[in-house]
Structures are given as C-alpha cells and as structure tokens.
Amino acid sequence: MATMKDVAKLAGVSLGTVSRVINKASGIKPSTLAKVEQAIRELNYIPDEYARGLKTQSSKTVALIIPTIWHPFFSEFAYFVEKSLDSLGYKMLLCNSDGNSEEEHKYIKMVKQNKIDAIIAITYSDIDQYIYSGIPFVSLDRYFKQKISYVESDNYQGGQIAAQELLKHGAKQLAYIGSHSKYPNDTMRRKKGFDDYLKEKNIEFFDIYLQEPVKDFEPSIKELLAAHPNIDGIFCHNDDRLLNVKHILEKLGYRIPDDIQLIGFDGVSSSKDWPIEISTIRQPVPKLAEGAVSLVMKKIKNPNIKNEIYKYPVTFREGNTTKNY
Amino acid sequence: MATMKDVAKLAGVSLGTVSRVINKASGIKPSTLAKVEQAIRELNYIPDEYARGLKTQSSKTVALIIPTIWHPFFSEFAYFVEKSLDSLGYKMLLCNSDGNSEEEHKYIKMVKQNKIDAIIAITYSDIDQYIYSGIPFVSLDRYFKQKISYVESDNYQGGQIAAQELLKHGAKQLAYIGSHSKYPNDTMRRKKGFDDYLKEKNIEFFDIYLQEPVKDFEPSIKELLAAHPNIDGIFCHNDDRLLNVKHILEKLGYRIPDDIQLIGFDGVSSSKDWPIEISTIRQPVPKLAEGAVSLVMKKIKNPNIKNEIYKYPVTFREGNTTKNY
C-alpha cells in the first residue's frame, strides 16, 4: 500500500506539500497541485480518514502529551489545561511520554482514527510526525525546523532579568549553567538573553552548556570554580538544574546564597499552596495553558488555519537563593 | 420517565438491590427478584445502556478523578496509574474534581454511555452515586458506608510507626495535629494507630483534630502549646499539614527539629529526582497505582465481581524535621 512518502517521492515534492494538497490548503502552485494529484492517482494512494476530511464527529477529547506528570511544572500546566478544556466541554487524555516517541505515535494514530480531536504536546523529540500528518497540534515552546502554533514564555527576557537581578543582588562575577536538547528550541534563548545583557554592559561571564543527556554536572562545576574562584552569581537553566547545582555547591562547601547566589527558571510550586522557596524566573503557567487550549480549539475548527504564536512575559520571584539587598 | 429510585420505592427495596437485579448479580432472594421485576414492568422502567448489559465495545479508556493533579502525591499516583494502564493498552482521562461532585457525575455518565470503561477515583464526596450505578469503580482509601474495591496504605501501621519514631528520636511529649472529612475514611486510622501505640505504652499525648474545611491551625496550635509547653514531637496527618505546622511553629519562634520534631505522612517527592526533605511516613505510591489498575481491570471484566481490598505497608523516611540520634 502506497504511503504519503511514496507520493512525495514520485511527485518530486516534500512531504509537507503532499500534506497541504490532501488537506486542501490554499496557496499551492497549480503545477505542483497537478503533479501531486497525478502521483496520488498513479499510486492509488488512499489518505487516512482524517486527511480525507471525512471527520464528521468530534470526540470532544484532546490529548496532552508531556514528558512526565510527576513534576511540578507539568502538573501545574496539566491542571490548568484540563480546567480550561473542561470549561469548553472537552475531556483531557494524559500521556507521559518519558521521552519515548513511540508513545506520541499512538496518540497521532488516535487523532487519525477520530478517537481524539487534537494534541497539545511538550515534546523533546522530532516533531515532523505531527506536521506531516496535518493533525491539530499545538506545542509548548518553539521548534526551529517547522512552522507550528505554539505558546511560550519570553525566554529571552527571562535571561535578561536573571542577569539584571543577580547584579542588583550584589553578585559581581556571573555564570550560566545549563544543558540543551539536540533539537533546537526556544528555551535556548534564556542563555542568549543572559549573555546579551551582560555583553551590552561589558561584564565578563562564564558558562557550562552541555548537550543532553548530561550524567553529572559536578566535574564541570568544579573545573569552572577552580578556573574562576570569584564566581558569586549563577543563572541556572531551570529550577531542577538550580536544585541540582545548589546540592553540588553545598557539597563542595559553598554557602547559598552567602557565597554564591542562584536564580532558576520556571517558578514552580509543588501545589497551589506549596511554593518552592528558591529565587527564580516565573513562567505564567495558567496563561500558557489557556493559550494552548485557545490555539488548539482554533486548529480543531480549521486544521489549515495559519500558525500563531502566543508569547507571555515572565517575572522574577524572590526566594532564599539570593541575598537580601 | 421512571427512575431507579421509583422502582426501589415501588418494590419496597433499597436502590442497591434494584441495581443488583439489573446487573444480574447472584444471591438475590427469589421473592425480592420478583418484586423488583414486577416494579420494573409496572413503571415501564428502562435501565440505561450500561445497566442493560448492552455494552458491546470497549473504549479502552479509564478515567482518573482526583482532587487536583497539581499536587506531588496525586501527580505521582497519576504518573504510575497512566504507566500501568498504558502497559495494558488503555488510555487515561484525567479529571481534576477540586472537590466538585458535578465533575464526577460527568464521568459516571460517560461510563454509562460506553465512552469510557471504568473510573479510578480519589473522592472526598459521597460515593453512593458510584455504587448504585453499578459501574466499574475503584477507590483509593476505604469508605465506611459502602462496600467497594479499594487500595490503601496501612494507615494504622503508619500512625504506630510515627509514634515509635518520634520516641526513638528523643521526643518525650507527643501530639497529633490533623483534620478529617465529614465522610469517614481510612486516613482517620493514622490517628488511631498513633493513639493506640502511646496508650499501650502509657505515654500521655495531646491532639488537635478539626473537621474540614479548616481555615487556620494557628489559634489551636498556640492554645495547645500554651497548655502543654513541653510538647517536643508532633505527628502531622500528612505532608501538607507538616509544612503548614512547621511554618506556624517557626513563626512562633520554635526551631525545627531542635525544639519540636515533626513527622508527616505521604512521603511525597515533587518529581522522581526531587524529594521533599522532611521526615515522613512514605506511602508506596507505585504499588497503590498498580493495585488500583489491577482491581479496575477485574471490575471491567466483571462489574459484579466480589469487592477486594489491596493494603500495602508503609515505611519511615528520615528527613530534616527529626533530630539525628
């Protein structure tokens, strides 16, 4: 049986183009349209139900795919996504992907079978699978390879605020500690905002920036502090990293915040009444959740709608890993 | 249109009996059976699809209803429930009830409409609605009014261990601080275990035990410590309560654990890699989740199966709210 890939190959176009033809998107060149339709006929290619536009009934269900619900950032996000979906009469299927893209495939199949209407995903794997299947999909954080609808916090601004606050709290020698996925995403702009702010002020800074998965930051941290013993302010890529860095530094004999001040990113709380008392850049999680639901509803109504980005400002939350000033 | 209640009234039997007749349960007295069947005919009562046994297809979906996913205990439980369901080819719908029983009604309706197969619920509202609808339902923690299948930690043993550990860590004058729902449930046995252990050892103890919702524990705590200034060890009903009690005590000038030692219950971690560093009784959450899924699968296969209880032992987890000894 012919696949979409076979059609793309025979027509000499990209998978995305075939998908756009099947989904009756506008703005396709007549010559391209003719080539794709010819290939579909030749191969006797049968698009799946969803792509054929035979979707007649709604399941009123959206899947939320996250790495793990057992994490305060994702559980807060999931809480507000479910609340928001519920207010619109939608149910939420929850999937812990644990970084396994097989899990994500299952849900993509369910959308194609009309068992669910759409997917909101925080995925750290390749997202081409979502794009080419043309299903209603909204992401948290941007991906650089593909155009999609997504919500995000202003990561760049967050990096700038972190640098600014460390200086305001009296730190003189700054560093950044973080890691990054091999797939570029917008969280990388946290570092860019931090770097740019300090460069503009002609303030020297250092960093540890490793590709995931990282086994242990301790050797890199030891090395950094041996080379630059005056480092007294560190911006950590997220709150998990901050807790890990704090643990390593305390083991090495540093007092936090007296010797080294730390600022994280996310601003998580374990529950509504239970904040984590660290200094951090707070993402507006309820807004991100509502934005994702609003975007996914637009996509359900019209899967070919133009992609949109909802970006929200972040704020500094004072905690016990920076000094009083 | 006649309801199940009308049938029960006319037949002069309980709702539960009508439900058992409709669900073709065994062990019903022939005279009772005749009365109920006569009432059904007279009233032209039409049981819903589910009760009629017309359930022909499975949605392979189970709903998990919890007060809020934004809490480390529930997010850990939900994580392992989803993992366990996924391994059996089932999906998980997640519902935050926020204590609103209207939300629960929606999902009960979905089971009746064959949109989902079963419900796992942590509900603090009345559960008769689950029982009389005869749908596959498994609870976390026991309810005293109704017989159901449920999983639970050994709450009584947990209370005993808490008393024992406080004494072992050098506390001499003990107290219990907690609250309880107006619906009795098994978590009340935490206090019973604590009390019994100390009574048996002829050790005097005190308590604060208020009916929910409790606005503020501070006045009661002030009063307790004014009357019994030597209290130096407190068992808190759960980890949330411990954090709240710790906060109040520190505000009143007590040092934890130097002046007063605290032990909580639940043993939550914010995420897999992020424990909350308090001394606490740890519930075996992965086991509770797997047990709940195993029970719910039995109920899906046969809704009239005998109710079962899976009870798991708990353990003490040393943290920074008890002294080294």
Side-chain angles (χ1 to χ4, degrees), chain A residues 68-70 72 75-76 79 82-83 86 91-92 94 96 98 103 106-107 110 243 269-271 274, chain B residues 68-70 72 75-76 79 82-83 86 91-92 94 96 98 103 106-107 110 243 269-271 274:
Chain A
T68 169
I69 191 64
W70 190 16
S75 66
E76 182 182 357
Y79 174 82
E82 195 272 332
K83 284 280 145 196
D86 182 62
K91 306 286 168 200
M92 183 180 88
L94 180 76
N96 297 293
D98 281 322
E103 288 295 324
K106 285 187 202 168
Y107 288 84
M110 285 179 78
L243 290 172
S269 299
S270 282
S271 76
W274 188 342
Chain B
T68 170
I69 191 65
W70 189 16
S75 66
E76 183 182 357
Y79 174 82
E82 194 273 332
K83 285 278 145 200
D86 182 62
K91 306 287 168 198
M92 183 181 87
L94 180 76
N96 298 293
D98 281 323
E103 288 296 323
K106 285 187 203 166
Y107 288 84
M110 285 178 77
L243 290 173
S269 299
S270 283
S271 76
W274 188 344

Side-chain angles (χ1 to χ4, degrees), chain A residues 204-310:
Chain A
E204 199 188 17
F205 60 93
F206 307 95
D207 64 47
I208 298 173
Y209 197 43
L210 308 174
Q211 183 170 315
E212 293 155 10
V214 183
K215 227 179 168 178
D216 187 0
F217 272 79
E218 189 169 331
S220 314
I221 290 175
K222 271 185 178 163
E223 206 178 300
L224 178 75
L225 291 172
H228 310 288
N230 294 327
I231 287 176
D232 58 357
I234 299 175
F235 173 41
C236 301
H237 188 75
N238 57 33
D239 292 347
D240 292 64
R241 179 60 48 226
L242 183 149
L243 290 172
N244 171 246
V245 168
K246 183 166 180 275
H247 181 76
I248 292 170
L249 291 175
E250 285 173 344
K251 219 175 67 180
L252 296 175
Y254 294 91
R255 290 162 307 157
I256 312 298
D258 301 3
D259 300 329
I260 300 180
Q261 302 190 66
L262 303 175
I263 291 181
F265 200 105
D266 281 348
V268 296
S269 299
S270 282
S271 76
K272 195 156 62 82
D273 308 312
W274 188 342
I276 308 278
E277 287 163 346
I278 57 176
S279 302
T280 179
I281 306 295
R282 163 78 177 156
Q283 298 203 54
V285 178
K287 285 210 178 89
L288 290 167
E290 282 157 30
V293 169
S294 154
L295 282 175
V296 97
M297 288 298 143
K298 289 186 183 181
K299 285 267 176 187
I300 288 173
K301 275 189 201 131
N302 176 8
N304 298 311
I305 200 169
K306 203 165 160 282
N307 288 313
E308 283 183 274
I309 300 156
Y310 288 178

